[in-house]
Structure formats: structure tokens, C-alpha cells
Amino acid sequence: MIEVVLLDTALEVDQFRLVPTILVAAMLTLFLGIGYFFRVAAVDELWVAGRSIGPVENGMAIGANWMSAASYLGVAALVATVGYFGLAYVVGWTTGYFLLLIFMAAQFRRFGKYTAPDFVGDRFYSSRARAIAAFTTLAIAFVYAIGQASGMGLMGRYIFGVSYEVGVILLMAVTIGYVVLSGMLGTTKNMAVQYIILIIAFTVGLYATGWSQGWTTVFPYLEAGPETAAAADIETQLVEPFAFTSYYGWIALAFSLIVGTCGLPHVLVRFYTVENERTARWSTVWGLFFICILYWGTAIYAVFGGILYDESSLVATGGEGEGFMHMSGEDADALVVLTTELAGLPEWLVGLVAAGAVAAALATTAGLFITASSAAAHDIYTNLYKPNATQREQMIVGRSTILAVGILVTLIGLNPPALIGELVAMAFAIAGCIFFPVFFLGLWWENTTREGAITGMLVGMFISFGAIINDTIYPMYIEGVDPANIEAADALIPTLAETVPGVSSALVGVPIVFAVIIGVSFVTEDPPEDVKRLVRQCHSPEPMDQMDSAEDVATDGGIEESSDD
């Protein structure tokens, strides 16, 4: 039985707000309309938007895909409550895109498949490898989307005055509806619109807060120094490095987020939606630009929100309240919106900021659902179960998967096992441990064998899922510990929880998986020569056309997938 979580927050919730409701209703209607207008009838459009997306539009889609509830709400929450440690999220999530730009974006596009499991299955000439990759894709989408559902519930509670659980159900239903209708083409068009909405809402709220308090004038990103010092006077730990964790903990988290970025299927599939490898590179550059605009502001929101929260807390408790770093998890997750409310901004403007959070959660959830549906319909149903499946059958399986995953995410989102940012970090750790080594070696070392890849992915699964079971699933679902109060001592193996935590297991997992893949590849038979030629084509200096892939231009005209299993 699913227990509905009851969230208490200083945000003035549980009352209907007309103007914010109109804003969000208009926004959701627009998304559904775009989804209907760009509805798809072919699998190319459903999975990769017909490879027709331009660099700026794809960059905006990358930004929207990336600017989830975790980025829009969660990063400011983490910086405000754990200070310097929270910056690991900004560093990790941004640096990962530089690795993608330099080492993987163009190479992935040249490979020219539909999904991440498609790459694994063809590169490692193995249906077993494809099946493991498809399962991992579904697991990542599921864990990542729970954090988005939590953000939707919080914002639904503020905007519509409904309960948290009704907010989750309502907004998840809209997301499921337009993704089922539109597929990748309509979802990408929606992501571009969603990015514009969310970045305007986020930036307007930040500027308005600074102006209303007399803190900033033109460029709050560089003018917030005195406010940062004031916040540090209230909470010295805000700017104290490693006050909440060790140096090892900070490095482990940042590293996991970096490699996790390079292993997330819903990020990599964006490179399949563009015409060629040059557009893939420029998409990444534009995506980084759009992402940086928001990330730069999250720390400023944390400072502004922290000061305002502290002032309101002291007033409410007669000057004896605790500082802002002791705010509840629910207050922290709503901090961006709460900041604008505490600043006394008009209700419509606070509602606009909340609507931006909804747009952020919707965009990321849509991308996750598309990757989950493609893994089920394209990789499992068509490639592993029924090779001669018709387009209609693939569409039915894909849309059924979106519906099923959406319902499961909604149910778990009613009682999320961690804060938004922490849930997303777990998804990154899974992607980093399992996918990053096989993606990187698969593109850059032609002698990587299927046996090495399969063994490495299984080891990565053991490490990443084992760490989450140890320090999150076991304490919460077996011992009944409140998720907000889980500590390392509550874990099944406390020592392991400190060295290999579920949110940052990749620092230990990735080197081990790399070593396993390389070691096993050395002692097993080399890949077929046609596969090696395929890898070389991923690095060819020759430009490619819209529907080309490395397979098309390989010297023998392509490969045939070997059957090992």
C-alpha cells in the first residue's frame, strides 16, 4: 500500500490562486496543443524527431531536458541547506556536458541509432547487452522521474490549492497525456517552449527579489556579494568547505554527477535527433549556454532565500528561531518559489515562478518517458522479441510503456524516498556506473568486446543498485526510518554507506567497471572486423548527411548484428 506523504512548508499553500492557475492552465493547454499539432505517425518521428532538429532548438531542448525540478528547485535548496557541499551539484552537472562535447556528442551522432540501448546492442554485437542496457534505461527513467513528480506535487499544492497528492496526480496526468500524443517530435518542440518559460520565470523572480529588497540593480549574479557575506554571518557553515561532509564526499558526489551526465540515455538521445555530427556539437554548446544561465542563479536564490527565510523565522519565533540552514526539506525544495513569496512580490509573479518549476518538471519527465518507451518498444519488443513488428505495434507498446511508467512514478512520487536533488543524484550514479564506461570505451577503444561490456555493466549494476539498497531502500522500507532522518548508521552496512553512498557510488564504481571491461576484453576474442570499422567511422573527418550513420558509410556498407545469445 502506498502511504501518502504529508508535507509541511512555510510556503502559503492550500489556497486557490486564480492568476497563477490561469497561467499554468494556459501553459498546459499550449503544451497539449503543440503535442497534438506535432503528433507523430512514424517511428523515426516518435524516437528521434526525424533527425530534423536544429542546433539552437536542440540546445534549448537540452536545456529544458536538463533543467528539471532538481535544477530549478533542488539545487538552490541544497546550496541553502548544505552550503558549499551543494555546489558539487552545479559543478558536476555542468562539467559533464564538457566531457560530452569533447568526447561523445559527435561520435554518438555518427553512430546514428535511435536509443542508448540501440548503441550498446549494435556496438557490442549482443542482444544480451541490449537487454541489460534497456533495463538500465527504464530504471534510470523511473528513479529520475520520481524527483520530478515530487516537484510537481509541491507546485500544484501552491498554485491550485490542492493537496500534495492531487498535485502529483494532476500534473503527471498532463505529462503522460502530451507525451503519449506527441512522441519525440512534439516533445522536442514543447521542450524549446518550456525552456523559454522556465528561464523567464526563474530570471524574473530573481531580479524582482533583488530589486524589491534593494540588493541588486542590473546584474544580480555579480552584485550579490554583500548578501552572501550577510548570509555567511547568519550561517558560517554556508561558505565553509566540507562542513557537512568530507573532502572525499564532495569529490565522490561531483565525480558521480559528471560521469552520470555522460551516461544518461535521455541526454544522449538528443544527439540522435539532429542532422549531423556538427549540429550535435553545436547543440551541446548551445545547451551549455542555456544551462549556465539558470545554474548561475541558483546560488543567488539560495542566498536571497536564506536571508529572507531567516528573517521570517526569527520574527515568527520572537527572535529565537533557528537559521535558514535548518529549514525543513519541504521548505528547501520549495525555496525558489518561497523566496519570491517572502520578498513580498505580487501573487501573479510568485505564480509565474511556480509555473516555471512546473514547466521544468514537465520537460524532464517527458524526455525520461520517451527514453523509457523507446527502450521498451524499440529495444526490447522489436529487437529482442518481435523483429518484424509493425510501426503500429511499436507505437502501441511505446505508448503503453509511457502510461505504465507514468502510473508507477506517480504512485512512488506520493511518498518520495529522498529530497528531489538526492533522488536525481541516485539516477546519475546508476548511469555513471553502468553506462559511462561502456559508452566511452565503446566509442574510443575498438577492441572492447561484448563479454567485457556485459560483465562491466553487471558489475556496475551490482555496485550502484547495491549502494542505494544499502543506504536508502533498506532503512526506509525495511527499518521504517523517516527518509528525512536517514543517516549512514541506519544502513544495512554502515561502513559501506560512508564509502560508497547511493548518491555518489560512481567514484568507486566507474574505475572498477573500467578495469573489468578492459581486463575481460583482453582475455576474450576480439570484436569482428566490421565492428572495428564501425568504431573508426565514428571518428571520421568526413561530414555526414541527415540520415547517415557510421554503419551506412562503413567500407563494407554496414554490419549485421551477430547473435551470441
Side-chain angles (χ1 to χ4, degrees), residues 31 35 46 135 266 322 326 352 394 404 406 425:
F31 296 162
L46 182 64
F135 168 79
H266 76 286
E322 294 183 318
H326 302 279
L352 177 66
Q394 292 183 55

Side-chain angles (χ1 to χ4, degrees), residues 44-61:
D44 265 1
E45 294 176 339
L46 182 64
W47 309 138
V48 293
R51 306 197 198 282
S52 61
I53 306 301
V56 177
E57 188 178 12
N58 203 43
M60 294 175 77

Side-chain angles (χ1 to χ4, degrees), residues 201-216:
F202 188 89
T203 307
V204 167
L206 183 64
Y207 269 84
T209 300
W211 289 337
S212 68
Q213 304 304 307
W215 290 335
T216 60

Side-chain angles (χ1 to χ4, degrees), residues 146-164:
I146 293 171
Q148 313 313 310
S150 179
M152 290 182 197
L154 277 171
M155 294 303 102
R157 194 177 173 191
Y158 172 79
I159 295 169
F160 305 123
V162 298
S163 63
Y164 168 82

Side-chain angles (χ1 to χ4, degrees), residues 123-125 445-453 517-532 562-564:
R123 166 60 183 87
F124 298 108
Y125 43 101
W445 188 38
E446 64 182 38
N447 290 328
T448 311
T449 67
R450 69 178 169 214
E451 292 82 4
I517 294 175
I518 293 171
V520 174
S521 294
F522 270 126
V523 298
T524 49
E525 187 177 351
D526 276 359
E529 189 57 36
D530 52 1
V531 171
K532 291 185 176 182
S562 303
S563 176
D564 62 324

Side-chain angles (χ1 to χ4, degrees), residues 208-415:
T209 300
W211 289 337
S212 68
Q213 304 304 307
W215 290 335
T216 60
T217 54
V218 180
F219 205 60
Y221 308 97
L222 297 180
E223 296 177 283
E227 286 67 46
T228 304
D233 285 341
I234 300 170
E235 295 276 12
T236 57
Q237 291 178 322
L238 179 71
V239 293
E240 183 180 346
F242 319 122
F244 290 88
T245 187
S246 63
Y247 178 76
Y248 172 83
W250 198 96
I251 293 295
L253 179 60
F255 180 84
S256 295
L257 298 174
I258 291 170
V259 297
T261 300
C262 301
L264 284 173
H266 76 286
V267 171
L268 300 180
V269 77
R270 296 248 48 94
F271 303 130
Y272 291 143
T273 65
V274 298
E275 181 178 354
N276 53 41
E277 75 278 20
R278 176 181 169 81
T279 311
R281 283 199 179 100
W282 276 108
S283 297
T284 313
V285 173
W286 279 109
L288 260 171
F289 171 73
F290 293 131
I291 289 168
C292 284
I293 293 175
L294 188 138
Y295 273 174
W296 202 354
T298 54
I300 312 302
Y301 259 113
V303 169
F304 288 177
I307 295 173
L308 292 170
Y309 187 90
D310 196 79
E311 290 174 353
S312 67
S313 175
L314 289 169
V315 169
T317 58
E320 298 178 355
E322 294 183 318
F324 62 85
M325 297 189 84
H326 302 279
M327 71 176 75
S328 69
E330 291 72 29
D331 281 348
D333 273 343
L335 185 62
V336 169
V337 181
L338 183 59
T339 297
T340 58
E341 183 174 273
L342 293 175
L345 299 180
E347 184 179 276
W348 67 266
L349 208 160
V350 180
L352 177 66
V353 177
V358 173
L362 286 174
T364 302
T365 307
L368 294 167
F369 284 175
I370 287 291
T371 57
S373 68
S374 60
H378 178 73
D379 297 299
I380 295 176
Y381 184 77
T382 305
N383 281 287
L384 299 178
Y385 175 69
K386 191 176 182 182
N388 60 346
T390 64
Q391 286 198 6
R392 182 173 181 276
E393 288 175 315
Q394 292 183 55
M395 301 277 275
I396 291 173
V397 173
R399 284 167 170 158
S400 300
T401 303
I402 293 170
L403 186 62
V405 173
I407 291 172
L408 279 174
V409 168
T410 303
L411 291 174
I412 301 300
L414 297 176
N415 186 14

Side-chain angles (χ1 to χ4, degrees), residues 19-29 31 159-160 171 351 354-356 358:
V19 176
T21 297
I22 292 173
L23 283 173
V24 173
M27 185 179 75
L28 298 179
T29 304
F31 296 162
I159 295 169
F160 305 123
L171 292 173
V358 173

